[in-house]
Amino acid sequence: MRDKADYARKGIARGRSCVALQYAGGILLVAPNPSSALHKISEIYDRIGFAAVGRYNEYENLRKAGVTYADITGYQFDRHDVTARGIANWYAQTLGTIFTESPKPFEVEIVVAEVGVSPSDDQIYRITFDGSVTDEPGFVAFGGQADQVSAALKERYSDDMSLSEAFAAALSALSAPGNNGERTEFAAAQLEVAILDRARDHRTFRRIRAARLEELLAEARPVPTDEPAADESSAESSGSAPSGSAPSGSAPGSSTPPSSSGPSSPSSPSDTEPPTGPAPGGSDRGTGLDGGSPL
């Protein structure tokens, strides 16, 4: 059992962490995923979402089985009888049986989330490879370096965040420096983002793509600020006089150039005309905060 547990943990740790967290309007699910066809985040039922990390073929089979279980339960009884807690318990029994009886355990971790009428009714459950279930209030990070991502997310998370604030917190946690000390920067094409929207009726699951995802990325990244003081100090250190100042050796307001003891030489345009280009360190280009072209 210990060997199987170590095997499963190492397989799951090779992937990238995913994040699920509550915000004022519902539940946000974010996963680094460069593929546009193989999804880590999906819909299970009307108000229930699914996210997983690990081996794709294994958690895709679990996702399909969970959809079938939810559909049959809703058809035999009532749609309100399908809950995230019931699906999480079913996944726990299935994974526990596989871990105990199968020679190879599933290398997966699963999160089942359900959005309620109010934030106090939201439910987030994490199911591990051995069938263990934990109720995660507020947020959860799973897969990959989950402990490190969870610690970074805990510093940014707060109740009643907006969607932009929740996405910025999730992106900051997923981009936290890893073991090599380098911070990961994600583009829109490298992220899979979905929400369970509390305001929508019936089916609440919705993916965030293209232009809307670019807007969230632009809002989550810090805006660069100009530093004019640094530009002035660099100009003084290079020996150039500010535009409009009188030359050395002449009285203020006088247009007569200073006399020199050497032979006279023809003056160059730079000696008699003020500079017309941009200030040192300045730029006539935009800030480039449009986030790039939409995918």
Side-chain angles (χ1 to χ4, degrees):
M1 289 295 181
R2 183 167 55 249
D3 292 342
K4 288 199 290 185
D6 292 340
Y7 175 84
R9 288 193 189 96
K10 290 178 181 179
I12 295 169
R14 284 196 293 267
R16 294 205 56 95
S17 301
C18 301
V19 167
L21 68 159
Q22 290 178 269
Y23 70 100
I27 298 177
L28 172 67
L29 305 168
V30 183
N33 186 9
S35 174
S36 60
L38 307 179
H39 297 304
K40 293 182 178 181
I41 302 171
S42 300
E43 179 185 23
I44 290 287
Y45 211 59
D46 294 346
R47 307 180 71 83
I48 303 174
F50 169 95
V53 294
R55 282 189 173 271
Y56 174 78
N57 63 322
E58 293 177 349
Y59 67 70
E60 178 65 11
N61 288 334
L62 291 172
R63 183 194 68 83
K64 292 179 180 178
V67 172
T68 303
Y69 168 82
D71 285 340
I72 293 176
T73 302
Y75 178 77
Q76 289 180 338
F77 302 99
D78 188 83
R79 299 187 74 89
H80 295 90
D81 293 330
V82 182
T83 62
R85 183 175 62 179
I87 295 176
N89 288 334
W90 184 86
Y91 276 138
Q93 295 173 10
T94 302
L95 285 173
T97 302
I98 293 173
F99 180 77
T100 303
E101 299 180 358
S102 174
K104 177 196 172 299
F106 274 18
E107 302 169 56
V108 297
E109 278 194 29
I110 295 173
V111 161
V112 178
E114 179 179 1
V115 63
V117 179
S118 63
S120 60
D121 299 327
D122 293 346
Q123 301 176 28
I124 301 176
Y125 297 98
R126 177 184 182 183
I127 306 100
T128 57
F129 59 89
D130 58 352
S132 301
V133 183
T134 55
D135 182 10
E136 304 287 350
F139 65 90
V140 60
F142 56 104
Q145 306 297 322
D147 294 338
Q148 180 179 339
V149 175
S150 181
L153 185 59
K154 186 177 181 179
E155 297 177 358
R156 298 286 302 270
Y157 178 79
S158 62
D159 296 333
D160 297 328
M161 292 189 299
S162 65
L163 177 59
S164 299
E165 293 171 343
F167 180 78
L171 186 65
S172 176
L174 293 173
S175 304
N179 296 330
N180 55 2
E182 296 182 358
R183 187 177 182 86
T184 305
E185 295 294 337
F186 294 103
Q190 298 173 310
L191 291 173
E192 183 179 359
V193 183
I195 61 172
L196 297 172
D197 192 348
R198 197 187 318 280
R200 300 186 73 180
D201 295 329
H202 193 44
R203 300 180 65 177
T204 63
F205 183 86
R206 180 165 62 91
R207 295 189 183 276
I208 298 180
R209 298 174 176 170
R212 179 54 179 151
L213 183 55
E214 294 283 0
E215 292 177 3
L216 290 175
L217 280 171
E219 294 172 1
R221 288 168 178 162
V223 179
T225 56
D226 297 331
E227 297 181 357
D231 296 340
E232 293 176 2
S233 61
S234 62
E236 293 175 0
S237 62
S238 62
S240 61
S243 175
S245 60
S248 176
S250 63
S254 174
S255 59
T256 305
S259 59
S260 58
S261 58
S264 61
S265 59
S267 60
S268 62
S270 60
D271 295 331
T272 59
E273 297 178 3
T276 58
S283 174
D284 57 353
R285 296 181 181 269
T287 56
L289 295 178
D290 58 349
S293 58
L295 298 176

